[in-house]
Amino acid sequence: MNLIRDFCIIAHIDHGKSTLADRFLELTGTVEKRKMRAQLLDQMDLEQEKGITIKLAPVRMLYKGYTLNLIDTPGHVDFTYEVSRSLAAVEGAILLVDATQGVQAQTLGNLYLALEQNLTIIPVINKIDLPAADVERAKREIIQLVGCAPEEILAVSGKTGEGVETLLQAVIDRVPPPRGSAEAPLRALIFDSRFDDYRGVIASVRIVDGSIARRQKIHLLGTGVRTEAEEVGVYSPGLTPQESLATGMIGYVATGIKDIAQVRVGDTITTDKITGVAQLPGYYEVKPMVFAGIFPKEGNEYSALRESMEKLKLNDAALQFEPEHSQALGFGFRAGFLGLLHLEITQERLRREYDMDVIVTVPSVAYRVTTARNEALIIKGPHELPDPSHIKHTEEPWMSVDIITPVEYVGGIMQLTADRRGRYRTTEYLSVGQRAILRYDIPLAALIVDFYDALKSASAGYASLNYELKGYETTDIVRLDILVADRPVEELATIVWRDAAYAAGKRIVETLKDTLPRQQFVIKIQAAVGGKIIAADRVASFRKDVTAKLYGGDVTRKNKLLDKQKKGKKRMRASGTVDIPPEAYLAVLKKKD
Ligand code: GDP
Ligand code: MG
């Protein structure tokens, strides 16, 4: 055990975690040079293409007689859960900071998570090969943040490999070997799981006590499932079978179980025979924060969509969904996501991996409603909101937000956060006169519109953002209905703050006016709250030139056609149905307020 080190790399997105991991893989000979490619641990196509890590990725490396178990983690705030699970499986963390960017919001967020786990932190400045690298500033900021001595901070380039060997040695020297008892009964923490068509659920595990061998009978303490470890092994980085995994090791167990729900992340694996083994602390359950309707673009693809979503869920426990029906969009789902990036990635994976084109409706947060009869409801979309007369009390989620920015943009950011109902808490300085940490509380509903884009433009792209759920607070919301030709269009309904309803209604009406194709009759467009019209406009009719196809000649024929048109118009006005083309939906759904 003294020859094992378990550690992970944490950083703000794009600060170079996966690239540094590449250098480790090379240096330790884990991956042959000719098989090397950039960000090798980003196995998903989507990860490679977008250049971001979505899934945590463990890998075992052998180096100078040591076994080094590394977990590469995602940086984006939506995937914090992946990070916190990784952190619970290791003793140390490399905290990577891009020398050209300095400390950013998710550096902060991830550092706090690592400190909560009492991990040994190795602060490292990366990208020192770049001309714009400001190693001294990054150093000052790290010292301010971590409170370490300057000589504890290492400097590397994940690109050229400079300093990487020294860093790996520092991991061996500074990260303590795994704690745990080799003699005690088996306890393995499941920190990740995924479904494999042939082997069933494969659990990524950290062996906390004891050891696990191939073909051993095992017992999952949380779910009570008993099975056999069909295969055990390490990631190097592909699945590499071993006879057994000893205390302190990170690897995988192929369970043969076909139902992913039976192999829960956070659960403890122990041996079948022994009783009285205490369960490991595990993890809090992730709760989706953002909800949206997902409908197939082609109405007849509902069952294909369901199948694809179910498959996605096998490897993405955070994804949740239930059936939903809409008059115009047909059958689909109301789905819950960790955040907007998670939503976007899910949509992208549906398209790419399952060839499913979907329409996503306006995202909503989850509201808590107490009804007049004291029922507690969770409201995930406008259709679930009870009639106002039945509502006693409503609450919405608020987030604690950290924004890191160069000081010259503080004014603009304060304006932005005030516009978004943010409540200012504090300012701290990372480096005096240069960069500040602004702390706010902001309703999640204000964050999930275009807050991130607005923040980027308020700061010339320099500000970064991290947030976590703070709690629920009282709010005053209404359902905003949109009517086209006097008919409510369900999928355009939204939940808005009562005092923002007028502006939102007006905006949607205007967008529809610009995007709805003209018909042979006038189309009324209205926004309403509780049956009261708060905004209205109309799309003028056009007279379709039904005679255009007639070349010259016969007047009677022409008049006949015009007559027919008149009759047709009358009929349409009577039924008043307007087909709303997908482009019009998309225009409304895309436009943010
Ligand atoms: P991650 O999001 O933290 O995993 O970051 P990646 O490893 O995906 O790297 C983000 C970008 O920074 C990629 O374009 C890398 O090529 C680049 N990068 C990473 N490390 C270095 C470095 O040391 N020097 C330079 N010049 N670029 C780097
Ligand atoms: Mg990465």
Side-chain angles (χ1 to χ4, degrees):
M1 245 153 70
N2 278 327
L3 296 176
I4 298 178
R5 297 292 181 275
D6 296 339
F7 67 109
C8 60
I9 313 179
I10 52 176
H12 191 75
I13 194 160
D14 273 351
H15 281 203
K17 295 174 290 294
S18 303
T19 306
L20 177 63
D22 289 347
R23 296 295 83 75
F24 286 157
L25 295 176
E26 259 173 29
L27 182 65
T28 58
T30 307
V31 175
E32 284 173 65
K33 203 135 200 169
R34 64 184 175 85
K35 287 194 181 155
M36 201 61 210
R37 60 175 167 77
Q39 284 106 31
L40 185 115
L41 292 180
D42 290 341
Q43 303 262 342
M44 250 189 260
D45 283 352
L46 188 59
E47 289 182 313
Q48 278 280 327
E49 190 168 308
K50 288 203 160 199
I52 57 168
T53 308
I54 298 166
K55 287 292 301 171
L56 62 86
V59 59
R60 184 216 55 180
M61 305 178 289
L62 301 173
Y63 183 66
K64 295 190 174 165
Y66 286 86
T67 300
L68 306 177
N69 296 309
L70 159 71
I71 306 179
D72 184 22
T73 65
H76 191 280
V77 58
D78 276 13
F79 302 112
T80 295
Y81 187 52
E82 298 274 321
V83 181
S84 60
R85 288 188 346 240
S86 311
L87 293 171
V90 298
E91 278 76 32
I94 292 176
L95 179 71
L96 206 59
V97 174
D98 184 330
T100 67
Q101 306 278 314
V103 167
Q104 295 290 339
Q106 268 121 56
T107 318
L108 215 66
N110 290 331
L111 172 67
Y112 293 155
L113 291 174
L115 291 175
E116 271 169 33
Q117 301 275 347
N118 284 317
L119 300 190
T120 299
I121 309 285
I122 304 179
V124 177
I125 297 170
N126 189 30
K127 306 199 188 180
I128 56 170
D129 60 290
L130 287 173
D134 189 344
V135 176
E136 284 315 306
R137 186 193 72 174
K139 215 174 232 177
R140 284 195 303 275
E141 292 182 348
I142 291 173
I143 292 169
Q144 168 81 11
L145 196 67
V146 187
C148 61
E151 56 277 13
E152 287 177 46
I153 303 172
L154 301 179
V156 303
S157 163
K159 185 162 193 178
T160 66
E162 188 184 346
V164 171
E165 209 169 334
T166 315
L167 172 54
L168 213 48
Q169 190 57 47
V171 169
I172 293 169
D173 295 341
R174 295 193 210 170
V175 176
R179 297 171 279 261
S181 159
E183 287 77 38
L186 168 68
R187 286 202 301 172
L189 172 69
I190 302 178
F191 64 89
D192 198 18
S193 70
R194 70 180 180 291
F195 188 77
D196 179 286
D197 284 340
Y198 304 104
R199 283 179 271 207
V201 181
I202 298 182
S204 292
V205 294
R206 156 73 193 260
I207 312 297
V208 175
D209 293 317
S211 65
I212 187 169
R214 192 168 69 92
R215 295 265 159 242
Q216 181 176 328
K217 295 257 188 295
I218 54 173
H219 178 199
L220 277 58
L221 284 178
T223 56
V225 169
R226 287 167 200 275
T227 183
E228 186 182 89
E230 292 186 352
E231 184 180 307
V232 303
V234 295
Y235 296 95
S236 71
L239 300 181
T240 310
Q242 308 277 303
E243 274 312 305
S244 66
L245 292 175
T247 310
M249 281 304 292
I250 290 176
Y252 69 90
V253 176
T255 62
I257 291 171
K258 299 293 177 206
D259 176 9
I260 190 112
Q262 297 195 321
V263 187
R264 265 210 318 259
V265 160
D267 206 346
T268 305
I269 300 179
T270 185
T271 41
D272 192 35
K273 293 206 187 64
I274 298 164
T275 51
V277 178
Q279 212 172 323
L280 295 162
Y283 308 106
Y284 66 94
E285 208 184 321
V286 269
K287 295 236 169 57
M289 306 285 271
V290 173
F291 296 85
I294 293 202
F295 295 88
K297 269 219 177 103
E298 305 298 332
N300 57 2
E301 290 196 325
Y302 170 73
S303 52
L305 176 62
R306 190 187 54 213
E307 219 167 273
S308 323
M309 300 262 291
E310 273 163 5
K311 284 210 184 114
L312 267 191
K313 188 168 168 59
L314 290 179
N315 298 314
D316 182 0
L319 177 67
Q320 298 189 359
F321 54 90
E322 52 197 46
E324 184 172 88
H325 179 258
S326 130
Q327 258 164 27
L329 302 177
F331 287 98
F333 297 97
R334 176 124 295 240
F337 304 93
L338 299 173
L340 289 184
L341 181 67
H342 187 213
L343 191 166
E344 187 188 321
I345 280 170
T346 305
Q347 186 176 358
E348 184 75 18
R349 288 186 67 188
L350 282 171
R351 193 175 63 77
R352 194 183 282 249
E353 294 167 31
Y354 301 98
D355 202 20
M356 287 292 322
D357 271 332
V358 293
I359 294 181
V360 179
T361 63
V362 185
S364 166
V365 304
Y367 297 91
R368 285 186 187 164
V369 166
T370 312
T371 64
R373 283 190 279 151
N374 280 327
E375 289 165 296
L377 305 177
I378 303 282
I379 304 300
K380 291 170 293 197
H383 315 300
E384 297 173 0
L385 196 63
D387 188 85
S389 62
H390 297 307
I391 296 179
K392 192 157 95 184
H393 186 64
T394 313
E395 291 174 307
E396 69 175 318
W398 278 66
M399 312 300 281
S400 326
V401 174
D402 290 341
I403 296 170
I404 294 189
T405 176
V407 289
E408 55 265 42
Y409 304 112
V410 165
I413 292 172
M414 290 207 162
Q415 183 59 50
L416 169 69
T417 47
D419 291 347
R420 304 300 173 101
R421 298 167 194 237
R423 213 162 42 212
Y424 171 77
R425 281 190 292 140
T426 57
T427 306
E428 280 164 52
Y429 289 91
L430 262 179
S431 36
V432 178
Q434 287 189 27
R435 299 197 325 131
I437 311 174
L438 304 175
R439 296 185 200 270
Y440 284 90
D441 297 334
I442 298 182
L444 179 59
L447 276 188
I448 65 166
V449 282
D450 59 344
F451 186 86
Y452 185 70
D453 294 340
L455 179 68
K456 285 286 171 191
S457 55
S459 64
Y462 284 115
S464 62
L465 173 72
N466 193 51
Y467 46 85
E468 59 176 9
L469 182 64
K470 173 171 176 280
Y472 275 72
E473 294 191 18
T474 302
T475 186
D476 188 11
I477 51 169
V478 292
R479 170 175 161 166
L480 177 67
D481 287 312
I482 302 298
L483 295 87
V484 173
D486 292 315
R487 289 194 172 199
V489 185
E490 274 177 59
E491 37 293 307
L492 293 180
T494 46
I495 293 176
V496 294
W497 288 303
R498 184 184 299 280
D499 54 5
Y502 173 72
K506 199 162 167 258
R507 182 185 58 71
I508 296 176
V509 166
E510 273 166 17
T511 311
L512 277 179
K513 186 191 171 180
D514 294 341
T515 43
L516 275 185
R518 288 179 169 215
Q519 309 276 346
Q520 297 181 34
F521 52 93
V522 174
I523 311 171
K524 251 201 287 180
I525 311 168
Q526 296 163 312
V529 169
K532 195 172 147 244
I533 306 296
I534 57 168
D537 212 323
R538 47 189 60 220
V539 179
S541 66
F542 71 101
R543 195 186 116 178
K544 191 174 163 196
D545 191 359
V546 284
T547 59
K549 275 196 225 127
L550 290 178
Y551 296 103
D554 197 347
V555 177
T556 47
R557 225 179 127 195
K558 194 167 163 184
N559 284 340
K560 217 162 138 193
L561 274 174
L562 286 172
D563 264 358
K564 210 166 127 197
Q565 185 188 28
K566 248 187 229 153
K567 263 191 216 141
K569 259 191 187 181
K570 233 184 221 152
R571 209 175 46 233
M572 269 207 266
R573 208 177 292 122
S575 79
T577 34
V578 176
D579 264 344
I580 300 176
E583 302 83 69
Y585 282 115
L586 293 179
V588 174
L589 301 179
K590 272 215 186 93
K591 210 142 166 196
K592 322 257 164 88
D593 34 357

